[in-house]
Amino acid sequence: MIRIQQLGQQLNATKSTLTIQDSRSGKKYEIPISNNSIKASDLEKIKDNNGSIIRSYDPGYMNTVNCTSKISFIDGDNGILEYRGYPIEQLAEKSTYLEVAFLLIYGELPTQLQYDKWCKKIQTHTFVHQDLYGLLSQFRYDAHPMGMVISSLSAVSTLHPEANPALSGQNIYADQKSRNKQIHRMIGSITTITALAYRNRIGRQPNQPHQQLGYVDNFLYMMDRLNESNYTPHPTIAKVLDILFILHAEHELNCSTSAVRHLTSSGVDIYTAIAGAAAALYGPKHGGANEAVLRMLEKIGSKQNIPQFIENVKNKKALLFGFGHRVYKSYDPRAKIVKQLAYQVFDLVGKDPLIEIALELENIALNDKYFKDRSLYPNVDFYTGIIYKALGFPTDMFPLLFAIPRISGWLAHWCEFLDDPENKIVRPRQNYQGYKTREYVPIDQRKQTDAYIHAPSTSFSTRRNVSVKK
């Protein structure tokens, strides 16, 4: 009987519709509702008197669903984040990053046999093509490591033409073995490429991967070993970084993940798609947010300056970083975990002075009506920058510590996109407000416009500019 009632409810749900009345024509339209969404293509039946189709306008995709996914779930109002149904709190406490990566990509937690084989495959692919060493060594000493890694990821596609749909056929990723090969290579090589970028940045020779160490330990080994024959990272540091990797592994359709799906829709190879996603993550509004928090706390300087800073924020004279989120309207569940990790790090390496400023700023903001009314709660970026700084990571490495774990989420969405028959090449529409058809005007008959075409000139051009003007 219960089953019959459930089927009845499902049938009623499928019959739900949205009634739209067009005031221009007086016509009514019934738009089917499924999963609390309507298909944008159903709006095409609504036309004006000239036959022009109505479009939905949504800059920034504030209220647009562009895929069906089973990877992660966010309830922003209640501060819930789940990977494949598992609460982030449980995964951070009980799991490891590589286990979570397996979960995200394949949908279930691995058995011991699967996990051991998975880890071995990933570790094997920490060894990268020799040409990448040469490529990374050619960057300037002051090149930003994120730029180096993005370029290197893109270059990987040229080293494996057999994995490029443009060269080897559009259906090569339909073969699960071929797809798995790229997954192993991508997750394995990203730590090596990042370590190479870091070592080049500080003028040191690269370290080869250590096959006896775990994923995070090996990453730290490649970054930090000097000439020790038995160097191993501190277990607390490795564990903290492993948990941070879990927290950053996936977060639904953010800017960089959407970029993966967008690029994948064209049929481009996975390495180019991941490089594009990393480029999106490079932006200060996305992967650079924790660095912005750090600079904000440094600018505040001391706890005594916080009240004035708060007033400046309210009066639009200062920006508050690390608070609020596009999705979360309550406390970011990841931020609670990161806050606990911060104390573990400080117990090991000493307390960073910025933590006192951060704690006081958080305390004031959480009890201030201005911030509560606007749902401005600490997000995951608020404490991660402080942790990375305490552990000695340069600020320009922060986006990379975000990118390494996020690759598993990107790969999960890549696989899901490939398997979803509903997906097509991404081609949004525009609201054109430019000129209508006009005739070409010969150059000697054109009027001067107010287009500003000047660009800044460096001091290196001073002598040349003077000489050219003489």
Side-chain angles (χ1 to χ4, degrees):
M1 184 63 183
I2 295 175
R3 179 59 178 162
I4 293 175
Q5 290 176 346
Q6 291 175 341
L7 287 172
Q9 292 172 356
Q10 292 173 3
L11 288 172
N12 289 332
T14 59
K15 294 179 180 178
S16 297
T17 60
L18 173 68
T19 302
I20 299 177
Q21 181 168 353
D22 191 340
S23 62
R24 300 169 300 179
S25 63
K27 293 181 180 180
K28 285 187 177 181
Y29 301 88
E30 298 294 326
I31 308 297
I33 299 175
S34 177
N35 296 316
N36 206 33
S37 303
I38 65 171
K39 287 187 175 181
S41 58
D42 286 335
L43 296 177
E44 293 180 354
K45 64 179 70 171
I46 306 175
K47 302 177 182 179
D48 64 14
N49 294 329
N50 297 320
S52 297
I53 296 170
I54 195 169
R55 307 285 185 190
S56 58
Y57 183 63
D58 189 14
Y61 305 130
M62 300 294 289
N63 190 35
T64 295
V65 174
N66 82 329
C67 72
T68 298
S69 182
K70 299 179 180 179
I71 300 170
S72 66
F73 170 76
I74 299 174
D75 181 343
D77 293 334
N78 296 301
I80 295 173
L81 171 61
E82 296 175 349
Y83 294 171
R84 300 283 189 179
Y86 292 97
I88 191 64
E89 294 86 354
Q90 291 185 23
L91 294 173
E93 177 185 357
K94 302 176 181 180
S95 192
T96 65
Y97 169 68
L98 281 188
E99 186 177 63
V100 167
F102 187 100
L103 168 69
L104 290 171
I105 294 168
Y106 297 106
E108 298 291 344
L109 289 169
T111 63
Q112 188 65 57
L113 182 63
Q114 289 175 318
Y115 183 65
D116 291 343
K117 186 174 182 179
W118 167 251
C119 291
K120 184 176 180 180
K121 287 288 187 181
I122 299 299
Q123 288 300 94
T124 298
H125 284 85
T126 55
F127 288 89
V128 299
H129 199 291
Q130 190 64 32
D131 286 356
L132 285 177
Y133 288 84
L135 171 66
L136 283 157
S137 68
Q138 296 304 307
F139 283 96
R140 286 175 54 88
Y141 72 93
D142 59 351
H144 195 291
M146 193 66 173
M148 297 169 68
V149 170
I150 291 169
S151 301
S152 299
L153 288 172
S154 183
V156 172
S157 69
T158 69
L159 303 176
H160 302 285
E162 77 287 350
N164 191 335
L167 303 175
S168 300
Q170 294 186 34
N171 295 321
I172 58 171
Y173 296 144
D175 177 56
Q176 188 62 51
K177 289 184 178 180
S178 174
R179 192 185 298 188
N180 287 339
K181 181 74 170 181
Q182 318 319 318
I183 292 170
H184 300 153
R185 183 182 287 147
M186 196 75 264
I187 297 177
S189 65
I190 184 60
T191 51
T192 306
I193 293 171
T194 300
L196 287 172
Y198 174 75
R199 298 286 289 194
N200 182 77
R201 187 82 156 81
I202 61 177
R204 292 177 180 169
Q205 290 295 315
N207 286 316
Q208 289 295 316
H210 194 308
Q211 289 297 285
Q212 304 307 313
L213 295 177
Y215 186 76
V216 174
D217 295 80
N218 178 54
F219 170 55
L220 292 169
Y221 170 88
M222 289 189 290
M223 289 185 68
D224 299 333
R225 175 186 172 271
L226 293 179
N227 61 347
E228 303 90 345
S229 59
N230 60 346
Y231 177 82
T232 55
H234 194 285
T236 298
I237 296 177
K239 181 60 178 176
V240 166
L241 197 57
D242 190 73
I243 294 174
L244 289 173
F245 278 10
I246 291 173
L247 299 180
H248 283 104
E250 160 64 7
H251 208 240
E252 207 208 48
L253 289 185
N254 49 75
C255 179
S256 56
T257 303
S258 298
V260 170
R261 285 180 169 269
H262 193 128
L263 291 165
T264 300
S265 76
S266 75
V268 74
D269 67 273
I270 181 56
Y271 304 101
T272 301
I274 294 295
L281 189 71
Y282 192 8
K285 292 183 179 180
H286 192 6
N290 49 22
E291 181 179 347
V293 171
L294 195 66
R295 299 193 188 283
M296 175 190 71
L297 296 174
E298 291 173 340
K299 188 174 182 179
I300 293 173
S302 69
K303 291 166 60 175
Q304 291 72 28
N305 297 330
I306 293 177
Q308 183 58 54
F309 174 76
I310 293 291
E311 288 304 310
N312 290 342
V313 170
K314 293 178 180 179
N315 295 320
K316 313 297 184 186
K317 295 180 179 179
L319 294 176
L320 179 67
F321 295 99
F323 282 76
H325 195 277
R326 172 87 164 256
V327 175
Y328 295 111
K329 304 307 176 186
S330 62
Y331 209 105
D332 185 337
R334 301 169 299 171
K336 297 178 182 179
I337 301 170
V338 174
K339 186 176 179 180
Q340 297 171 358
L341 294 178
Y343 287 104
Q344 295 181 34
V345 171
F346 299 147
D347 288 343
L348 180 65
V349 302
K351 182 177 288 188
D352 192 289
L354 294 181
I355 190 61
E356 297 296 339
I357 301 174
L359 290 171
E360 183 65 16
L361 179 59
E362 178 187 21
N363 180 59
I364 293 175
L366 289 178
N367 291 283
D368 190 297
K369 186 176 184 301
Y370 176 89
F371 297 99
K372 289 195 290 186
D373 289 348
R374 291 164 174 76
S375 299
L376 295 176
Y377 299 93
N379 59 42
V380 71
D381 299 309
F382 189 63
Y383 285 106
T384 50
I386 301 174
I387 291 176
Y388 293 149
K389 181 176 184 293
L391 290 176
F393 288 106
T395 53
D396 57 12
M397 285 293 293
F398 290 3
L400 284 165
L401 297 172
F402 194 158
I404 291 172
R406 185 54 61 86
I407 276 185
S408 60
W410 292 338
L411 289 170
H413 282 270
W414 174 65
C415 292
E416 191 172 68
F417 188 97
L418 293 175
D419 293 334
D420 190 344
E422 284 191 329
N423 285 321
K424 302 175 177 64
I425 185 169
V426 175
R427 178 59 169 87
R429 306 301 291 257
Q430 66 171 359
N431 175 24
Y432 179 71
Q433 294 294 314
Y435 287 107
K436 298 299 182 182
T437 305
R438 52 180 180 164
E439 294 296 322
Y440 179 85
V441 179
I443 194 168
D444 60 346
Q445 299 177 26
R446 297 172 197 165
K447 294 181 180 180
Q448 182 80 17
T449 67
D450 58 357
Y452 189 80
I453 62 174
H454 301 288
S457 179
T458 68
S459 60
F460 301 113
S461 301
T462 301
R463 297 186 306 277
R464 170 180 163 73
N465 290 341
V466 173
S467 298
V468 169
K469 291 178 182 178
K470 71 177 188 295

